[in-house]
Amino acid sequence: MTLLTASGLMSVTLAIVIFFIGAGVNRVAPPLQRWNIPKAVTGGLLAALVTFALYELAGVEVVFTLGARDVLLLYFFTGIGLNARLSDLISGGRPLLILLGVTLVYLILQNAIAAGAVRALGLPEGATALIGSVSLIGGHGTTIAWAPIIRERFGLENALEIGIASATLGLVIASLIGGPVASVLIKRFALSGPKGEAPVVGFAEGGRREPDIDHVSFLRALLVLNVAILIGSLGHDALEQFGVRMPRFVVCLIVAIVLTNVVPALLPRVEWPSRTPALALISDVSLNVFLVMSLMSMQLWTLGGLGPALAVALAAQTVVAVLYMLFVVFPAMGKTYEAAVIAAGFGGISLGATPTAIANMTAVASAHGDAPRAFIILPLVSAFFIDIANAGAIGFLTR
């Protein structure tokens, strides 16, 4: 086996190239546009298939350096926070609680399905958590953290391999189901977004770039982002000193929300970048490159050797997730256009990761109209509250 490692700069450069390939494929394949499949997802999955072919056919393992990906994640979520108006937060209080409630119910349902699959397919007992909320709602990070505990508790030697394979397959599925579900709902209920408002992230499909993006507005947005990230990182480190653990990007998101609702009020003459084309552009670039890097770096060969049982279990999880999005999440959130966007994002919560959820929502919003409240409440639920509940669920499953 030959190991081929791409440097940080090379990895970012390849991610940009792969994004353009995905955009080209989407352009010549109308169903991908109609189903709101993000360009980054199309390109990233194609790249993952290429690295899989190199591994299987040529004995070459391609490894990407992903340090820049984590920085892009901070930029993206901090940008979301800078766009959060107090009025959105106030109006989002009840929907946030509703979304949190339906997500908690789904957390229990997902683990119940996993337990049923384990019994029906004759899988080891410890696999319940690994094909449930550890790998799906939790993602790769949670899987890596809990796999050693599960291996020790249940004597499951390949716990990490099962969890990573499940998380990888879940991420792929999550990237593909959100857009189509939203398209079905939007068409079925004749929904549309607000007219004349640019998306919180990126630009409307087919729309022209606003003329007020220049180097001054771009640097202003970048400066505010950097300051918010620096303060958020200091806050994250301080919280860890007191034993409070949460993702760094969540702290940066919260700091950005506070800054964007305080600084303009205290210093009205300061030109604040909230909801400007420059900030939308930075957020869009950060999200797309992050998502491409996440998908192109997937090691699909880790899915091999685990047998059809994993595929059957994930198929069951996928069917239930789609039905839940259609018949629980969408009605619970009010059967509005914004509810359809949130339903698309729920695909990322249920089977993938928060950035996948945002990418699904961004693809829908770019095609059909802005949904600002969705971009605030969903990250708070999926990246903060549900992580706490998931930790409790995993502890129960591995007790």
Side-chain angles (χ1 to χ4, degrees):
M1 181 64 63
T2 302
L3 184 65
L4 183 61
T5 303
S7 67
L9 180 59
M10 178 61 73
S11 297
V12 173
T13 303
L14 287 172
I16 296 172
V17 172
I18 291 166
F19 171 80
F20 282 115
I21 293 173
V25 173
N26 275 19
R27 190 163 48 249
V28 300
L32 297 178
Q33 298 184 53
R34 188 164 58 249
W35 298 332
N36 298 308
I37 303 299
K39 303 177 185 70
V41 169
T42 303
L45 290 180
L46 288 174
L49 291 173
V50 170
T51 58
F52 176 70
L54 287 172
Y55 183 89
E56 292 291 331
L57 302 177
V60 176
E61 180 179 351
V62 181
V63 177
F64 298 98
T65 303
L66 301 176
R69 183 188 65 171
D70 299 331
V71 177
L72 292 170
L73 184 68
L74 295 180
Y75 274 110
F76 173 71
F77 277 106
T78 304
I80 292 293
L82 290 178
N83 281 320
R85 295 170 179 163
L86 184 60
S87 58
D88 291 335
L89 297 174
I90 293 174
S91 64
R94 184 171 179 271
L96 187 148
L97 292 176
I98 294 173
L99 181 60
L100 177 59
V102 298
T103 306
L104 290 174
V105 172
Y106 182 79
L107 174 69
I108 298 171
L109 179 61
Q110 186 173 79
N111 285 318
I113 295 168
V118 165
R119 286 193 293 270
L121 299 171
L123 296 174
E125 182 184 359
T128 298
L130 294 170
I131 60 174
S133 64
V134 167
S135 63
L136 299 179
I137 284 180
H140 287 82
T142 303
T143 299
I144 293 171
W146 281 91
I149 298 172
I150 293 172
R151 183 181 66 242
E152 181 179 349
R153 168 69 178 80
F154 297 99
L156 189 60
E157 292 301 322
N158 60 341
L160 181 60
E161 288 76 9
I162 294 174
I164 290 296
S166 179
T168 300
L169 191 56
L171 186 65
V172 172
I173 297 169
S175 302
L176 298 175
I177 64 174
V181 166
S183 296
V184 169
L185 292 171
I186 289 171
K187 183 177 181 179
R188 169 69 177 80
F189 293 93
L191 304 172
S192 62
K195 305 298 182 182
E197 288 193 30
V200 172
V201 180
F203 301 87
E205 289 291 337
R208 63 182 178 83
R209 297 294 187 264
E210 277 79 349
D212 56 344
I213 301 179
D214 55 23
H215 68 286
V216 174
S217 61
F218 183 88
L219 287 174
R220 181 184 298 115
L222 189 61
L223 174 62
V224 173
L225 280 167
N226 285 349
V227 170
I229 291 172
L230 288 171
I231 296 173
S233 295
L234 290 173
H236 172 269
D237 295 342
L239 289 172
E240 282 199 336
Q241 294 294 322
F242 290 98
V244 178
R245 296 184 178 274
M246 66 176 69
R248 187 179 298 270
F249 71 84
V250 173
V251 182
C252 292
L253 170 68
I254 295 171
V255 167
I257 291 174
V258 173
L259 289 177
T260 206
N261 285 284
V262 171
V263 174
L266 296 179
L267 303 171
R269 293 188 178 182
V270 172
E271 294 189 48
W272 197 250
S274 177
R275 304 205 178 187
T276 61
L279 183 59
L281 178 62
I282 295 172
S283 296
D284 197 32
V285 170
S286 299
L287 175 62
N288 279 290
V289 178
F290 171 89
L291 193 56
V292 170
M293 294 183 75
S294 296
L295 293 174
M296 76 183 192
S297 61
M298 291 190 304
Q299 298 179 325
L300 294 179
W301 52 89
T302 61
L303 298 176
L306 295 173
L310 180 62
V312 172
L314 266 294
Q317 294 283 19
T318 302
V319 170
V320 173
V322 170
L323 292 175
Y324 200 81
M325 293 157 68
L326 290 169
F327 299 110
V328 178
V329 177
F330 178 66
M333 299 309 298
K335 292 187 176 181
T336 62
Y337 167 71
E338 197 143 23
V341 176
I342 291 174
F346 193 85
I349 296 179
S350 60
L351 299 173
T354 303
T356 309
I358 300 298
N360 289 345
M361 294 197 303
T362 300
V364 176
S366 296
H368 300 282
D370 192 22
R373 190 168 58 185
F375 283 87
I376 298 300
I377 65 175
L378 188 135
L380 288 175
V381 169
S382 64
F384 180 54
F385 295 113
I386 201 62
D387 276 353
I388 298 174
N390 195 22
I394 296 169
F396 175 80
L397 291 172
T398 58
R399 71 191 190 284

